[in-house]
Amino acid sequence: MGEYKNVFVVGLDDFNRERLTRLRGADHYRIHGVIAPEQVYDTEQFDIAAMLSEASRVLEAFDDHIDAIVGYMDFPVSTMLPILCERFGARTTSLESLLKCEHKYWSRRVQREVIAEHIPAFTAFDPFDDEALTHISEAGLYFPFFVKPIKSSGSRLGFLIDSPETFYRAIEQLRAEIGLIADPFNTVLEHARLPPEVAEVDGHFCMAEAIIGGWQCTVEGYVFDGEVVSYGIVDSLRYPQVLSFFHYRYPSGLPEPVQAKMRELTERVMRHIGYDNAAFNVEFFWDEVQDHVWLLEINTRISQSHCDLFEKVDGVSHQQVTVDLALGRRPDMPHRQGAFPLAAKFFHRVFFRDAVVSRVPTAEELAALEADFPGSLIAVQVGEGQRLSELPEQDSYSYALAYVWLGAEDVEQLHARYESLAARLAFEFTDIDG
């Protein structure tokens, strides 16, 4: 057997492989990729049945012990993990408990059982039903409300509905595109035991929810042998006047009583769901005016966007949590042992309706920037000749050209560093619309 552990990562890319080598105990891991990253990242076509059989083939052919099977991504990776782990005797939460988080209708029903006053009014509807709008108003939801698929990926196919016109425009797009996620998600649902009231609401359904808002943040946590632990809260800050994210910042600037309330709600809901031996993150809003906390959604993984933030502030990426749990250990997560008191991931955006990218920063320019801003990381998200509207996983208001991770002593220094770095990120465009 030896001292080492074989850890299989679904959709492993070079960016994460390099970071995994810096985890505590990493010298005792052998990291293996299962399923090429391009099959699960930056694509809108997911053949889950094919991916499950490919992963099973790779794992069955492995001639050593399989100690852990992990992933850091949302759909489709998150939903495949319980199926693969059960098949190969690895540890993670059950498929049913995972779906109680990821199936948005089932999740809201379960949340309502324990924290009803912290979730918005909601109803499920079939976008292919011509009477859908009538059913939504019969359920007590009136304009404005929010619409999203029962299982979505990123912000795709989420719509703010403020009139019958915007509803029918959204329906048109939902009918055309919802199958991209609905069909593979239904493949996963076939593996699960669903209560009848959930089974009839499959991946082709949508949710309508009352509008909630406020200061948005994410509680990162895990459950180990039934114990719910929240180890960090990350703020999600938006550009003024628009819905697009500007940056994620850690640690949170929320008042401590608000953070405590979020941790308490997290514990109550994750315990009720029966989620166990896996990482999660829960997104909340704090409505400052009403001093009220709303639960937005539960994700069944760490947030990859936050890895560098935890590394900068606490001393190690919270991938530590995922790997330790998969190996059956209590996570060995340090606290405030990193190089910076504060860290952020910025979304460097353009607010166009569309355009073609004619120039991106060169490798030399990026290296010079990373040298001038110690601790910075820059990941360009577009290529020359690319049409912005063809980028996957974008919101409806803007396009993210690059991600920029930075550490700082305080908020003022953080913003000053970002502004001077961003001013030197040389992107150019042709054919600009809007």
Side-chain angles (χ1 to χ4, degrees):
M1 286 281 284
E3 281 292 293
Y4 63 89
K5 300 285 188 187
N6 289 305
V7 178
F8 287 83
V9 183
V10 179
L12 179 65
D13 61 4
D14 295 338
F15 193 65
N16 281 305
R17 184 187 286 277
E18 193 271 325
R19 198 171 258 150
L20 287 163
T21 63
R22 301 202 296 275
L23 297 186
R24 296 173 164 207
D27 39 354
H28 299 296
Y29 304 155
R30 290 187 183 171
I31 305 291
H32 311 270
V34 192
I35 301 180
E38 51 278 8
Q39 283 182 256
V40 289
Y41 283 93
D42 294 342
T43 174
E44 297 184 345
Q45 304 290 338
F46 303 120
D47 186 341
I48 291 229
M51 286 195 270
L52 283 169
S53 57
E54 183 194 328
S56 296
R57 251 195 331 274
V58 170
L59 292 161
E60 277 159 13
F62 187 66
D63 59 0
D64 199 351
H65 45 95
I66 294 169
D67 300 296
I69 306 169
V70 302
Y72 303 113
M73 290 185 59
D74 189 19
F75 189 79
V77 173
S78 55
T79 40
M80 290 194 287
L81 287 172
I83 298 168
L84 290 171
C85 285
E86 185 174 24
R87 214 170 266 180
F88 292 93
R91 275 168 70 103
T92 193
T93 197
S94 68
L95 179 60
E96 281 73 20
S97 67
L98 178 129
L99 289 171
K100 284 180 191 177
C101 305
E102 291 208 7
H103 185 300
K104 287 189 177 2
Y105 179 63
W106 196 3
S107 193
R108 283 300 193 208
R109 288 181 67 102
V110 173
Q111 292 162 30
R112 189 169 61 190
E113 291 163 9
V114 282
I115 59 162
E117 65 280 19
H118 297 281
I119 64 165
F122 68 93
T123 190
F125 70 92
D126 179 354
F128 297 92
D129 172 9
D130 294 333
E131 297 300 309
L133 191 53
T134 309
H135 298 322
I136 290 169
S137 57
E138 283 167 355
L141 278 163
Y142 309 103
F143 304 122
F145 56 83
F146 201 73
V147 158
K148 54 192 168 187
I150 217 84
K151 176 70 203 136
S152 58
S153 172
S155 327
R156 283 196 65 246
L157 298 181
F159 302 94
L160 181 62
I161 306 297
D162 56 10
S163 66
E165 294 73 36
T166 53
F167 182 75
Y168 290 113
R169 272 206 303 277
I171 286 293
E172 211 172 305
Q173 204 177 330
L174 283 161
R175 287 177 176 180
E177 297 177 33
I178 198 167
L180 288 170
I181 286 202
D183 296 336
F185 188 56
N186 285 344
T187 304
V188 172
L189 294 180
E190 285 162 20
H191 290 262
R193 292 176 297 279
L194 306 173
E197 66 277 9
V198 173
E200 61 198 28
V201 177
D202 75 359
H204 290 90
F205 274 71
C206 291
M207 293 285 282
E209 292 194 344
I211 304 286
I212 52 174
W215 181 319
Q216 190 173 348
C217 62
T218 303
V219 174
E220 291 274 2
Y222 62 83
V223 190
F224 175 70
D225 287 351
E227 182 192 351
V228 182
V229 177
S230 301
Y231 56 85
I233 300 183
V234 179
D235 292 334
S236 302
L237 301 151
R238 295 175 189 269
Y239 280 89
Q241 313 306 315
V242 288
L243 290 175
S244 308
F245 285 119
F246 179 25
H247 62 290
Y248 299 142
R249 191 172 74 202
Y250 177 66
S252 172
L254 283 167
E256 182 46 46
V258 177
Q259 296 191 41
K261 180 69 182 172
M262 289 174 177
R263 288 192 292 267
E264 186 255 319
L265 292 172
T266 297
E267 181 174 1
R268 216 189 303 172
V269 84
M270 297 314 289
R271 179 172 290 142
H272 182 65
I273 282 169
Y275 195 83
D276 204 7
N277 296 313
F280 64 81
N281 71 74
V282 186
E283 295 176 51
F284 287 100
F285 284 118
W286 175 48
D287 178 337
E288 208 170 338
V289 179
Q290 308 287 333
D291 189 21
H292 190 75
V293 173
W294 296 103
L295 191 153
L296 176 59
E297 66 180 20
I298 305 169
N299 299 301
T300 56
R301 54 179 167 78
I302 63 163
S303 167
Q304 280 197 96
S305 286
H306 301 161
C307 289
D308 188 69
L309 311 189
F310 280 96
E311 194 164 346
K312 281 182 169 46
V313 175
D314 288 336
V316 70
S317 161
H318 62 328
Q319 288 161 304
Q320 186 77 48
V321 169
T322 305
V323 174
D324 284 342
L325 288 167
L327 292 170
R329 304 173 182 153
R330 180 179 291 279
D332 180 20
M333 198 63 201
H335 186 70
R336 306 297 186 261
Q337 290 173 26
F340 298 95
L342 189 71
K345 174 190 179 177
F346 287 90
F347 294 80
H348 184 67
R349 295 183 183 275
V350 284
F351 294 89
F352 299 151
R353 276 201 290 275
D354 202 4
V356 174
V357 181
S358 55
R359 183 193 192 277
V360 300
T362 65
E364 294 74 29
E365 288 168 350
L366 295 174
L369 280 171
E370 290 181 355
D372 289 350
F373 295 88
S376 65
L377 276 175
I378 304 164
V380 173
Q381 299 299 302
V382 295
E384 280 178 23
Q386 191 159 25
R387 180 163 280 286
L388 293 177
S389 58
E390 288 164 8
L391 290 169
E393 301 285 330
Q394 300 294 314
D395 62 37
S396 323
Y397 314 95
S398 66
Y399 299 97
L401 305 177
Y403 303 146
V404 178
W405 288 268
L406 288 168
E409 292 300 311
D410 55 36
V411 173
E412 289 68 35
Q413 187 187 65
L414 185 72
H415 284 274
R417 279 189 179 170
Y418 172 68
E419 279 161 30
S420 51
L421 185 151
R424 289 168 53 188
L425 278 175
F427 290 91
E428 289 171 18
F429 306 91
T430 55
D431 204 10
I432 296 173
D433 177 14

